[in-house]
Amino acid sequence: MTDTATDQRVESPATGTAITEWLADFERALAAEDVDAAVELFAVGCFWRDLVAFTWNIVTVEGHEGVRDLLGQSLHRVQPRGFAVADELGGEEVSGEAWIKFETSVGRGSGHLRLQDGKGWTLLTTLNELKGFEEAKSDRRPKGTEHGAVPNRETWLEQRRREAEELGTVTQPYALIVGGGQGGIALGARLRQLGVPTIIVDRNPRPGDAWRNRYKSLCLHDPVWYDHLPYIDFPPNWPVFSPKDKIADWLEMYTTVMELNYWGSTECRKATYDEKAKEWTVTVERDGKEMTLRPQQLVLATGMSGKPNLPKFEGMDRFKGEQHHSSRHPGPDAYRGKRAVVIGSNNSAHDICAALWEVGADVTMVQRTSTHVARSDSLMELALGALYSESAVASGMTTQKADLTFASVPYRLLHVFQVPVYDAIRERDADFYARLEKAGFMLDFGDDNSGLFMKYLRRGSGYYIDVGASELVARGEIKLESGVDVVRLTENTVVLSNGKELPADLVVYATGYGSMNGWAADLISPEVANKVGKVWGLGSNTTKDPGPWEGELRNMWKPTQQEALWFHGGNLHQSRHYSLYLALQLKARMEGIETPVYGLQEVHHLS
Amino acid sequence: MTDTATDQRVESPATGTAITEWLADFERALAAEDVDAAVELFAVGCFWRDLVAFTWNIVTVEGHEGVRDLLGQSLHRVQPRGFAVADELGGEEVSGEAWIKFETSVGRGSGHLRLQDGKGWTLLTTLNELKGFEEAKSDRRPKGTEHGAVPNRETWLEQRRREAEELGTVTQPYALIVGGGQGGIALGARLRQLGVPTIIVDRNPRPGDAWRNRYKSLCLHDPVWYDHLPYIDFPPNWPVFSPKDKIADWLEMYTTVMELNYWGSTECRKATYDEKAKEWTVTVERDGKEMTLRPQQLVLATGMSGKPNLPKFEGMDRFKGEQHHSSRHPGPDAYRGKRAVVIGSNNSAHDICAALWEVGADVTMVQRTSTHVARSDSLMELALGALYSESAVASGMTTQKADLTFASVPYRLLHVFQVPVYDAIRERDADFYARLEKAGFMLDFGDDNSGLFMKYLRRGSGYYIDVGASELVARGEIKLESGVDVVRLTENTVVLSNGKELPADLVVYATGYGSMNGWAADLISPEVANKVGKVWGLGSNTTKDPGPWEGELRNMWKPTQQEALWFHGGNLHQSRHYSLYLALQLKARMEGIETPVYGLQEVHHLS
């Protein structure tokens, strides 16, 4: 319902004279292919973020030179036109800001414009749909049955069964998505709507199993308004924080009703790209049987949390208790009254410690480096509330507007917007933080105090959204060893760098996940993985996110240095929003639309 | 999203002075318990339709005496107040009409008011929710996880599994719904939201099987905008006319994600009400094992099309070909090149004839009485478009507004609104109708030319929504024998009253369904069935709907003469809308809220 701006957009030509004048000037300059005139409309310190509409890339350019370069290389081909104000921003009206719409030679787009002293300060342009390949929805929805008399008609069920039978054997998918979590499923739904033959493979039997297999107390840490999939919103009775098995059921039903070709119990073994044939050869094992698929596009949607990072401590092979990575942790039931040591201090570590405490285990958390903690309630109210909350919905903030609003802030500026939010959280929860520190917990708010979401974008780790475990840490109910590392394991203890030796029946390694790039190395080759380089992160030159500045998340949802190889993933918000742009890129290629990539990223880091 | 008026309602106190003045006068009169003053505000020829808010019944009263009686018996208890305009009607503003809201001693309601010369002409009052028992949705939605540390916490999955295991064995459901089609499922979802422990039983294994088991070409004859279930709308890519297996998949996923206690493969054998214990004893056979359930409320949701009406023709036992009721017809595949005779001329008969023709069968339709035919396109445009269509949605017509708009027209007047629609259809499709009649087809538009929907409400039969079969009849591709009856069957022919003898390999009895009342007779006793009387129909004194005038559909969604026995069903629109009022009636009884029934219907016909 909330997929493209055109769906809800109401024309309001009277909005802000400054904006409409700017757009008219911009349009004139573009029509005349007068790049200089167009550049002059922007402030010197401007940002233009384009999601596929102008660049067939996800890219942010900065300043006059950036705008000049982008337009110089794309204007003639893109033929942008029809710029107009398209609906005001929801909530309070802010002058000098507006939703905009436009079209190009091949598509229709929407975006957002902020002026500063009459000059363009931030411009967001996004592609909504390709002309001639609009999705079959709303007034274009399928009829469902062909009225009239059709000799030897094939029913919907017969068609659907035949397609499922033939795809991958008689016919080949255009796109293969490896990984059937929320990312692969959301992208699969977009591609199906665009008529791109696609198979999603996942090693687990049923959609949602990646959630079902996690520790039993897990609930989503993001609230429901942030988590909608494309096309079908969660209903109004859906919990704020979805229990893992409930979100799993939703993903499973979504896969069915969106008619996705989802191959469960299918392991992807090997993928090779034939540069001449422009085709992948992918070996998969489906229900134990080896098959070869020949897609033209390969999407790795194996997830930020797909490749467990298991540390190597001396003595792990000697340890007689139970030990596993957090991704394999089944939940606390088997550990009542047992002694557990959890290595790590981020989300999973906290969740697992709390659940173990709840069944009466003796739990110690080993905190090796500092962690950012933010209380769920505070995040909901101060960080997300304006865009993703019941009150935001009530005030007219649709999911699509919220996503675009979020996307409209250039990453270069995002931390500036975030610092005050976390300052406010720090003040509001000062007592909480003081008690945590008193218990010895090493806290941080990110290198530049910009908090949780920037940590997520920069490194995808380093934080805990507190839903109760911190209180147990502060009270000493969860024992804490902080500022230490593990020296070695013995048969029944964990020996720490501070000399302590912790008796343990269970050791959980809540030590995070490897780069998504590692999947490319395993599946394709280390050479291709190196060619593509590091995935995720902004180049912010902060901990675990080395510079230089990239402008966008590395390799996500956009062309990589390896032709026909794509990365998809992120949280539910990102999977929902960016799957649209990745799907449009794939569709354009399938239809033979010219897709010259502006600003293909360079590779600065391997992993 | 579109369940209760309060969800979307925007206060607009400035709407129509006449309306607001009327409401203020009404409120004053009610507050003073001055029935005469209240009555005087209504036109002499007025209608007041109440859905549970004032009457704990579904009832329409007429004229001053009707209003006086209703208020006289309910006013003191109901304490209605807070009458106010609540949002304008969507689309063009019509003067003298408005959405209203109000509250009562126990709940909050909404409705609709039409004035005529300043007097109340039609008033609709509906109950939206019970105070203190509001549904846990939107800003009341569950949190999903209890934050904090909770020793021995039970997860969502553990709770859900325990409930499913214990309900019906350790604990008893408050309500038992017999029949798990869209009706039972929609009601089950409402009851779950209201916290009423409920089991739905159905003899088929999976939700949706009643659809899956029908003839393979079946698609819904009503368009998608008319068919939404409560809480989760069909997505924007959903077909206009759902193929049967696709709607079946939707019902199955809906049952899962709404967490309904759905017992498939469960046959209901016998139900007895203990008037003293106020409890039913219901014998069911679940997966072949007999069990006893003791619900306090029993809902028959076995459907308008649940009990096949198999005619008894001489020689049926001698016939050597295949013969079955339309509900058992598997589709045409086995009958390529065979000779088929289809007895009947309503929806199923047409669908089955066309599908048989499509595979090259030799098909004859036997039309025994006249049939109303309306083309699907014409119905969509002229009958449904204003309320249920893509353009209605685009112009702000929500499902809830559409349902309330429809409900706001008293049944006594509905045919007056319908006649011009079908006059227009007859004119638009004049050529089509002429060709059909030329082929010998016996057409009607209902006894008073009020068309399809009135036929549906009055008798639930007698029409075909044309999606192509009529063209085959007009062209003679489907052979037609009309104005005849079946005299007998021989070993391999059907002998008609016009003397013709049709060779047949297959005979399909598309002869409709028995009254829902028949289920009560089978399941409970003929005595209880007779006490309850005929189900469905308005008492319009037209064919198959004998008078006297009832004012509402007999026995549907409201108290019957048998305590604790309820009937639920109808099309998807009715299942969606009226399930709310039935659910609120059950919830109120469970919570011990006083529910004196005003105007309990009398029984004029047994079946």
Side-chain angles (χ1 to χ4, degrees):
Chain A
M1 306 289 201
T2 54
D3 289 308
T4 61
T6 39
D7 288 346
Q8 288 99 7
R9 205 190 283 149
V10 175
E11 298 269 347
S12 32
T15 306
T17 328
I19 294 274
T20 49
E21 274 178 17
W22 192 94
L23 290 173
D25 291 345
F26 192 51
E27 170 123 14
R28 254 191 306 275
L30 299 182
E33 295 195 15
D34 185 345
V35 172
D36 287 336
V39 167
E40 281 309 312
L41 291 167
F42 286 86
V44 173
C46 70
F47 300 86
W48 181 351
R49 184 167 196 227
D50 181 59
L51 308 181
V52 181
F54 281 69
T55 61
W56 288 111
N57 198 357
I58 292 180
V59 73
T60 302
V61 296
E62 301 187 3
H64 278 191
E65 281 323 297
V67 173
R68 187 186 312 280
D69 192 56
L70 187 157
L71 281 177
Q73 289 193 45
S74 64
L75 182 53
H76 185 69
R77 175 183 52 79
V78 174
Q79 297 174 41
R81 56 188 176 275
F83 283 88
V85 167
D87 205 22
E88 297 101 336
L89 266 167
E92 58 187 313
E93 198 179 315
V94 182
S95 66
E97 287 194 19
W99 297 108
I100 61 167
K101 62 176 178 175
F102 61 93
E103 54 183 285
T104 70
S105 53
V106 301
R108 293 177 203 89
S110 57
H112 187 264
L113 174 65
R114 285 186 191 84
L115 297 185
Q116 209 173 44
D117 300 329
K119 297 274 191 179
W121 175 38
T122 70
L123 174 63
L124 171 72
T125 48
T126 79
L127 187 64
N128 292 336
E129 61 184 2
L130 293 165
K131 292 176 185 172
F133 304 103
E134 294 82 1
E135 291 187 38
K137 62 181 187 179
S138 302
D139 55 349
R140 294 174 187 273
R141 73 173 77 220
K143 197 151 180 186
T145 177
E146 193 178 345
H147 287 174
V150 184
N152 296 305
R153 140 188 345 242
E154 198 177 30
T155 67
W156 171 85
L157 184 64
E158 288 165 342
Q159 276 175 31
R160 182 76 192 94
R161 284 190 176 153
R162 183 169 54 80
E163 181 200 322
E165 255 175 47
E166 293 180 355
L167 192 64
T169 53
V170 179
T171 60
Q172 285 298 322
Y174 180 76
L176 177 68
I177 301 173
V178 180
Q182 61 268 14
I185 287 172
L187 178 63
R190 302 266 195 202
L191 289 172
R192 167 131 215 130
Q193 282 308 107
L194 288 166
V196 177
T198 301
I199 294 175
I200 304 167
V201 297
D202 196 280
R203 64 179 165 207
N204 291 310
R206 293 159 58 200
D209 278 349
W211 287 103
R212 290 193 188 91
N213 295 341
R214 297 299 304 281
Y215 53 89
K216 73 169 194 174
S217 66
L218 180 63
C219 289
L220 265 62
H221 291 84
D222 289 325
V224 60
W225 311 278
Y226 194 73
D227 301 333
H228 293 302
L229 295 176
Y231 309 111
I232 312 182
D233 279 0
F234 293 109
N237 66 327
W238 201 261
V240 176
F241 301 103
S242 296
K244 72 181 181 74
D245 295 284
K246 192 164 170 66
I247 195 87
D249 285 351
W250 184 262
L251 290 171
E252 190 171 16
M253 82 78 194
Y254 184 90
T255 303
T256 300
V257 301
M258 297 303 287
E259 303 180 24
L260 308 190
N261 293 298
Y262 189 100
W263 290 12
S265 303
T266 302
E267 196 99 40
C268 190
R269 294 286 181 210
K270 186 76 196 150
T272 319
Y273 190 62
D274 183 332
E275 302 277 350
K276 277 191 201 139
K278 305 285 182 200
E279 187 180 272
W280 290 92
T281 301
V282 185
T283 308
V284 304
E285 200 179 298
R286 186 183 191 190
D287 295 320
K289 201 186 126 205
E290 200 168 281
M291 296 177 65
T292 302
L293 297 174
R294 301 193 181 280
Q296 289 173 65
Q297 308 288 343
L298 180 65
V299 182
L300 299 187
T302 38
M304 307 258 303
S305 306
K307 225 178 140 49
N309 212 351
L310 196 66
K312 286 183 180 147
F313 297 125
E314 190 196 320
M316 280 168 71
D317 52 338
R318 281 197 311 267
F319 182 67
K320 297 248 161 120
E322 213 177 321
Q323 56 182 333
H324 46 236
H325 186 264
S326 58
S327 60
R328 303 277 177 204
H329 181 67
D333 294 347
Y335 311 107
R336 288 173 195 276
K338 298 284 173 72
R339 293 159 306 179
V341 175
V342 177
I343 316 296
S345 54
N346 288 348
N347 264 334
S348 294
H350 276 86
D351 276 356
I352 291 169
C353 284
L356 286 166
W357 177 88
E358 287 183 346
V359 299
D362 175 86
V363 194
T364 304
M365 177 189 285
V366 176
Q367 183 183 31
R368 300 184 298 169
T369 57
S370 71
T371 306
H372 172 52
V373 175
R375 300 179 78 171
S376 176
D377 288 349
S378 303
L379 281 176
M380 293 263 290
E381 202 168 311
L382 298 172
L384 282 178
L387 295 179
Y388 302 99
S389 66
E390 203 64 44
S391 61
V393 171
S395 73
M397 179 57 76
T398 62
T399 307
Q400 183 240 349
K401 271 191 188 174
D403 288 353
L404 284 179
T405 303
F406 210 93
S408 75
V409 180
Y411 286 130
R412 181 79 95 173
L413 299 180
L414 194 53
H415 68 286
V416 178
F417 286 69
Q418 296 283 302
V419 168
V421 172
Y422 289 87
D423 284 349
I425 287 177
R426 200 170 352 196
E427 196 181 314
R428 171 185 163 130
D429 297 329
D431 180 57
F432 165 78
Y433 288 120
R435 288 190 302 120
L436 254 187
E437 286 190 308
K438 200 173 158 205
F441 196 87
M442 299 187 297
L443 278 173
D444 73 63
F445 277 75
D447 289 7
D448 54 0
N449 293 314
S450 58
L452 195 142
F453 196 68
M454 294 311 301
K455 271 203 167 186
Y456 172 70
L457 290 172
R458 290 166 175 174
R459 51 180 281 198
S461 66
Y463 50 83
Y464 169 52
I465 297 176
D466 177 39
V467 293
S470 290
E471 190 57 39
L472 295 174
V473 172
R475 292 209 313 255
E477 307 271 7
I478 294 172
K479 295 170 193 161
L480 179 69
E481 295 294 337
S482 68
V484 297
D485 208 336
V486 174
V487 174
R488 65 177 178 280
L489 279 74
T490 70
E491 284 196 0
N492 47 21
T493 66
V494 179
V495 180
L496 302 179
S497 56
N498 61 1
K500 288 195 189 167
E501 188 166 352
L502 308 174
D505 305 304
L506 166 71
V507 178
V508 180
Y509 303 103
T511 43
Y513 296 87
S515 162
M516 278 184 272
N517 176 291
W519 285 104
D522 289 359
L523 208 57
I524 309 166
S525 69
E527 293 72 33
V528 166
N530 287 346
K531 184 163 103 177
V532 165
K534 185 173 168 66
V535 180
W536 205 260
L538 298 168
S540 61
N541 205 20
T542 58
T543 306
K544 297 196 181 181
D545 182 31
W549 180 248
E550 306 269 4
E552 294 287 337
L553 282 173
R554 297 181 189 96
N555 281 312
M556 291 303 297
W557 314 294
K558 61 178 180 174
T560 68
Q561 292 286 349
Q562 172 59 55
E563 186 179 19
L565 178 65
W566 311 80
F567 292 87
H568 177 61
N571 61 30
L572 281 153
H573 150 79
Q574 292 168 311
S575 286
R576 169 184 66 239
H577 191 200
Y578 289 95
S579 57
L580 172 62
Y581 309 112
L582 177 47
L584 288 171
Q585 291 173 79
L586 297 175
K587 173 68 172 176
R589 281 161 176 81
M590 185 178 97
E591 299 298 344
I593 294 170
E594 206 197 343
T595 56
V597 175
Y598 169 82
L600 183 66
Q601 66 190 339
E602 292 164 25
V603 173
H604 302 109
H605 306 281
L606 295 189
S607 67
Chain B
M1 308 287 203
T2 53
D3 288 311
T4 59
T6 38
D7 288 343
Q8 287 100 6
R9 205 190 284 151
V10 175
E11 299 267 348
S12 32
T15 306
T17 329
I19 294 275
T20 48
E21 274 178 17
W22 192 94
L23 290 173
D25 292 345
F26 192 51
E27 171 121 16
R28 253 190 306 276
L30 298 183
E33 296 196 13
D34 184 346
V35 172
D36 287 335
V39 167
E40 280 309 313
L41 291 167
F42 286 86
V44 173
C46 70
F47 300 87
W48 182 351
R49 183 166 197 229
D50 182 59
L51 306 181
V52 180
F54 281 68
T55 60
W56 289 111
N57 197 357
I58 292 182
V59 74
T60 301
V61 296
E62 302 186 5
H64 279 190
E65 281 323 298
V67 173
R68 185 185 314 279
D69 192 56
L70 188 157
L71 281 177
Q73 289 192 44
S74 63
L75 181 53
H76 185 70
R77 174 184 51 81
V78 174
Q79 296 174 41
R81 56 189 175 273
F83 282 87
V85 168
D87 205 22
E88 297 100 337
L89 266 168
E92 58 187 315
E93 200 180 314
V94 183
S95 66
E97 287 194 21
W99 297 108
I100 62 168
K101 61 176 179 176
F102 61 93
E103 54 182 283
T104 71
S105 53
V106 300
R108 293 176 202 89
S110 57
H112 187 266
L113 173 66
R114 285 186 189 85
L115 297 185
Q116 209 175 43
D117 300 327
K119 296 276 190 176
W121 176 38
T122 70
L123 175 62
L124 171 73
T125 48
T126 79
L127 187 65
N128 292 337
E129 61 185 4
L130 293 164
K131 292 177 186 172
F133 304 102
E134 294 82 0
E135 291 187 38
K137 62 179 187 178
S138 301
D139 56 349
R140 295 174 186 271
R141 72 174 79 220
K143 198 151 182 188
T145 177
E146 194 178 343
H147 287 176
V150 184
N152 296 307
R153 144 193 336 246
E154 196 177 31
T155 67
W156 170 84
L157 184 65
E158 288 165 343
Q159 277 175 29
R160 183 74 193 92
R161 284 190 177 151
R162 183 168 54 79
E163 181 200 321
E165 256 175 47
E166 293 180 356
L167 192 63
T169 52
V170 179
T171 60
Q172 285 298 320
Y174 180 77
L176 177 68
I177 300 173
V178 180
Q182 61 269 12
I185 288 172
L187 178 63
R190 302 265 194 204
L191 289 172
R192 168 134 212 123
Q193 282 308 107
L194 287 167
V196 178
T198 301
I199 293 176
I200 305 167
V201 297
D202 195 278
R203 64 180 165 206
N204 290 309
R206 293 158 58 199
D209 278 350
W211 288 102
R212 291 192 187 93
N213 295 342
R214 296 301 303 280
Y215 53 91
K216 73 170 194 173
S217 65
L218 180 63
C219 289
L220 265 65
H221 291 83
D222 289 324
V224 60
W225 310 277
Y226 193 73
D227 301 333
H228 294 301
L229 296 176
Y231 309 111
I232 312 182
D233 279 0
F234 293 109
N237 67 328
W238 201 262
V240 177
F241 301 103
S242 297
K244 73 182 180 73
D245 296 283
K246 193 164 169 64
I247 196 86
D249 284 351
W250 184 262
L251 290 170
E252 190 171 14
M253 83 79 197
Y254 184 90
T255 302
T256 301
V257 302
M258 297 304 288
E259 303 179 23
L260 308 189
N261 293 299
Y262 189 100
W263 290 12
S265 303
T266 302
E267 196 98 40
C268 190
R269 294 284 181 212
K270 185 78 197 150
T272 319
Y273 190 61
D274 182 333
E275 303 275 350
K276 277 192 202 137
K278 304 284 180 200
E279 187 180 271
W280 290 92
T281 300
V282 184
T283 309
V284 302
E285 199 177 301
R286 187 184 192 190
D287 296 321
K289 202 186 125 207
E290 201 168 282
M291 297 177 64
T292 301
L293 297 174
R294 303 193 180 278
Q296 289 173 64
Q297 307 288 342
L298 180 65
V299 182
L300 298 187
T302 39
M304 307 258 304
S305 306
K307 221 177 144 51
N309 210 351
L310 197 66
K312 286 182 181 150
F313 296 126
E314 189 196 321
M316 280 168 72
D317 52 336
R318 280 197 311 265
F319 182 66
K320 297 248 162 116
E322 214 177 319
Q323 55 183 334
H324 46 237
H325 186 264
S326 58
S327 60
R328 303 277 177 204
H329 181 67
D333 294 349
Y335 311 108
R336 289 173 195 276
K338 298 283 174 72
R339 293 161 306 182
V341 174
V342 177
I343 316 295
S345 54
N346 287 349
N347 265 332
S348 295
H350 277 86
D351 277 357
I352 290 169
C353 283
L356 286 166
W357 176 87
E358 287 182 347
V359 299
D362 176 87
V363 193
T364 304
M365 177 189 285
V366 177
Q367 183 183 29
R368 301 186 294 171
T369 56
S370 71
T371 306
H372 172 51
V373 175
R375 300 180 76 170
S376 176
D377 287 349
S378 303
L379 281 177
M380 293 263 288
E381 203 167 309
L382 298 172
L384 282 178
L387 295 180
Y388 302 99
S389 67
E390 203 65 44
S391 61
V393 172
S395 73
M397 178 57 77
T398 61
T399 306
Q400 182 241 349
K401 271 190 188 175
D403 289 353
L404 284 179
T405 302
F406 210 93
S408 75
V409 181
Y411 285 131
R412 180 81 94 173
L413 298 180
L414 194 53
H415 69 285
V416 179
F417 286 69
Q418 296 283 303
V419 168
V421 172
Y422 289 87
D423 284 349
I425 287 178
R426 202 176 343 202
E427 197 181 314
R428 171 186 163 129
D429 298 329
D431 180 58
F432 164 79
Y433 287 120
R435 289 190 302 117
L436 254 187
E437 287 193 306
K438 201 172 155 203
F441 197 88
M442 299 187 299
L443 279 173
D444 72 63
F445 278 74
D447 289 8
D448 54 0
N449 293 314
S450 58
L452 195 141
F453 196 68
M454 293 312 299
K455 270 202 166 185
Y456 173 69
L457 290 172
R458 290 165 174 174
R459 51 181 280 200
S461 66
Y463 51 83
Y464 169 52
I465 297 176
D466 178 37
V467 292
S470 290
E471 190 57 41
L472 294 174
V473 172
R475 293 209 313 256
E477 306 272 4
I478 294 172
K479 295 170 191 161
L480 179 69
E481 295 294 337
S482 67
V484 297
D485 208 334
V486 173
V487 174
R488 67 177 176 278
L489 278 74
T490 70
E491 283 194 2
N492 46 22
T493 66
V494 178
V495 181
L496 301 179
S497 55
N498 61 1
K500 287 194 190 169
E501 189 165 353
L502 307 174
D505 305 305
L506 167 70
V507 178
V508 180
Y509 302 104
T511 41
Y513 296 87
S515 163
M516 279 183 273
N517 176 291
W519 285 103
D522 289 358
L523 208 59
I524 308 167
S525 69
E527 292 70 34
V528 166
N530 287 345
K531 182 162 107 178
V532 166
K534 186 174 169 65
V535 179
W536 205 260
L538 298 168
S540 62
N541 204 21
T542 58
T543 307
K544 297 195 181 181
D545 183 30
W549 181 249
E550 306 270 1
E552 294 288 336
L553 283 171
R554 297 181 188 96
N555 279 314
M556 291 304 296
W557 313 295
K558 60 177 181 177
T560 68
Q561 291 286 349
Q562 171 59 55
E563 186 179 20
L565 177 65
W566 310 80
F567 291 88
H568 177 61
N571 61 30
L572 281 152
H573 150 80
Q574 292 168 312
S575 287
R576 169 184 66 240
H577 190 200
Y578 289 95
S579 56
L580 172 61
Y581 308 112
L582 177 47
L584 289 170
Q585 292 173 78
L586 296 175
K587 174 67 173 175
R589 281 162 176 80
M590 186 179 97
E591 298 298 344
I593 294 170
E594 204 196 346
T595 56
V597 175
Y598 170 82
L600 182 68
Q601 66 192 337
E602 292 165 26
V603 173
H604 303 108
H605 306 281
L606 294 190
S607 66

